[in-house]
Amino acid sequence: MLVYSVFYYSKGISEDYDKLRQQVKEGQHVKLEDNHNKQLKSCSLVDQLLTLPQYLIPQHSLSVLMHRLTQSNVTWFKNLFIRFICWKFKVNLDEAATADLTDYASFNAFFTRQLRDGIRPVAEGDDIIVSPVDGAISQLGKVSHGRIIQAKGRDYSVTELLGGNQLLAKQYESGQFATIYLSPRDYHRIHMPVTGKLVAMRYVPGKLFSVNPRTARAVPELFARNERLVCQFETEFGPMVMVLVGAIFVGSMETVWSGQVTPPYGKAVQDWQYTGEQAITLKKGQEMGRFNMGSTVVMLVPGKMNDFNPRWQAGDAIKLGQAMS
């Protein structure tokens, strides 16, 4: 298994070069040697070695086990689990609607806790994009030649992120993206960055690598390989997509319109279309989904929307409701 995992890891890196060569063929003027140097700088040997075990472990089985543990209502266990996470990740309980840890029925109830009313004011303005979550900005900027930056020296295809939907991907050729990482200490409900009408949802099966910064540097096309939910909305500025990316130990992903989507984990792409009363409209700042444990949200917005404010840079901490444009 170790030999196979090393081979698989090397294969993933080689696939990057195949795609770079294809870009050259398509006239995108990509210099292979420059990209090679960028990847060496962005992904150290330490990053690669520390990420390698993720190829060996049973990602989905461990995530199912974690989901069961987080649902446990055994009092001593869930209280111990909650206190450990609060200590380890310095969770700010002053912001929670319920600050008493013993009031939570399970660890999952704590992890998906509500915030106090008014603690996250939403920036006003219909044309202002706000952060949909608490977290740290992994990357943000313009979509370039149908590709998104994952980390320094790494990028991936919008089409692959969207589960092969080429028609949808083309609508973001002049658009923008923002990738925001949620750590275990963060608030784990996801809200709308602008007002939008639900159009469709696609479940894309995949791996469950960690989505922390080190893994983003080491694993090629991480966000287009992991399991994900592609949630499509129509806004007054054009189509918008929110991609909820699964990760190791993310016990479940759910939306306000469909409830829990994972687990169980599927093996095939699944699509849902929403019309009539099912095509709900969610206001800016309204909850649209949630994670159990940390993960990542990738937001795609059309070119007609205001550009992201250049003051926001990769690595910046950001809070739900803060103006991004």
Side-chain angles (χ1 to χ4, degrees):
M1 180 175 284
L2 177 60
V3 173
Y4 173 81
S5 299
V6 173
F7 167 77
Y8 191 79
Y9 186 86
S10 302
K11 180 177 181 290
I13 294 176
S14 69
E15 287 174 352
D16 270 3
Y17 289 99
D18 290 341
K19 290 185 178 180
L20 288 171
R21 292 188 183 98
Q22 183 61 35
Q23 289 175 358
V24 171
K25 290 180 181 179
E26 294 174 356
Q28 296 182 22
H29 308 294
V30 178
K31 294 183 179 180
L32 291 175
E33 60 272 21
D34 289 349
N35 277 275
H36 174 70
N37 291 334
K38 287 179 182 178
Q39 292 203 17
L40 288 176
K41 292 177 182 177
S42 64
C43 180
S44 68
L45 179 60
V46 172
D47 287 340
Q48 294 181 41
L49 291 176
L50 292 179
T51 303
L52 183 59
Q54 294 187 48
Y55 289 88
L56 301 171
I57 60 177
Q59 298 172 342
H60 289 83
S61 297
L62 288 174
S63 295
V64 169
L65 176 60
M66 178 61 75
H67 178 63
R68 292 174 180 171
L69 291 176
T70 62
Q71 297 292 326
S72 173
N73 57 11
V74 176
T75 302
W76 71 266
F77 175 77
K78 61 94 175 176
N79 287 344
L80 182 64
F81 200 175
I82 292 171
R83 288 193 176 97
F84 172 75
I85 292 296
C86 288
W87 168 78
K88 177 68 175 178
F89 296 101
K90 297 179 175 59
V91 176
N92 184 3
L93 286 173
D94 292 337
E95 297 182 334
T98 301
D100 187 345
L101 300 182
T102 62
D103 286 345
Y104 293 100
S106 66
F107 176 83
N108 186 58
F110 159 75
F111 210 82
T112 57
R113 63 195 175 276
Q114 285 185 305
L115 295 177
R116 289 192 288 112
D117 289 342
I119 200 74
R120 293 287 186 273
V122 177
E124 298 182 354
D126 293 341
D127 59 343
I128 299 298
I129 306 168
V130 301
S131 175
V133 292
D134 284 5
I137 297 173
S138 296
Q139 294 290 336
L140 82 170
K142 295 283 190 180
V143 176
S144 178
H145 302 292
R147 302 187 71 80
I148 293 175
I149 297 172
Q150 173 176 303
K152 184 178 179 182
R154 289 203 183 279
D155 62 10
Y156 61 98
S157 162
V158 175
T159 300
E160 292 175 351
L161 174 68
L162 301 179
N165 191 332
Q166 295 181 348
L167 292 177
L168 182 59
K170 286 182 179 179
Q171 298 182 64
Y172 300 99
E173 288 181 347
S174 60
Q176 302 176 88
F177 75 94
T179 305
I180 305 177
Y181 167 67
L182 291 72
S183 75
R185 69 168 297 179
D186 291 316
Y187 170 65
H188 273 71
R189 300 192 184 192
I190 307 156
H191 296 247
M192 294 292 288
V194 294
T195 296
K197 182 179 180 180
L198 179 64
V199 175
M201 181 173 71
R202 169 170 283 196
Y203 166 75
V204 184
K207 299 293 184 179
L208 287 175
F209 288 102
S210 169
V211 290
N212 63 28
R214 169 174 284 125
T215 311
R217 294 192 298 268
V219 177
E221 302 189 336
L222 172 64
F223 304 124
R225 296 172 72 172
N226 270 16
E227 175 187 71
R228 53 204 179 276
L229 288 180
V230 180
C231 305
Q232 184 181 346
F233 299 88
E234 188 61 38
T235 76
E236 64 176 292
F237 306 99
M240 178 194 73
V241 162
M242 297 281 287
V243 182
L244 283 56
V245 183
I248 187 68
F249 299 140
V250 175
S252 66
M253 293 188 289
E254 61 184 83
T255 65
V256 298
W257 59 85
S258 64
Q260 181 175 301
V261 180
T262 64
Y265 302 108
K267 295 184 178 180
V269 172
Q270 300 179 53
D271 286 296
W272 294 264
Q273 304 295 323
Y274 300 98
T275 59
E277 294 182 355
Q278 291 184 322
I280 60 173
T281 295
L282 298 175
K283 300 293 185 181
K284 182 167 78 170
Q286 189 173 349
E287 183 183 344
M288 59 81 63
R290 62 183 66 175
F291 288 118
N292 176 28
M293 300 298 281
S295 199
T296 287
V297 172
V298 182
M299 175 171 57
L300 292 173
V301 296
K304 293 181 180 179
M305 298 200 75
N306 293 337
D307 288 349
F308 290 129
N309 191 317
R311 81 179 182 90
W312 292 114
Q313 298 293 320
D316 287 348
I318 195 166
K319 296 293 186 182
L320 165 67
Q322 285 189 285
M324 296 186 69
S325 61

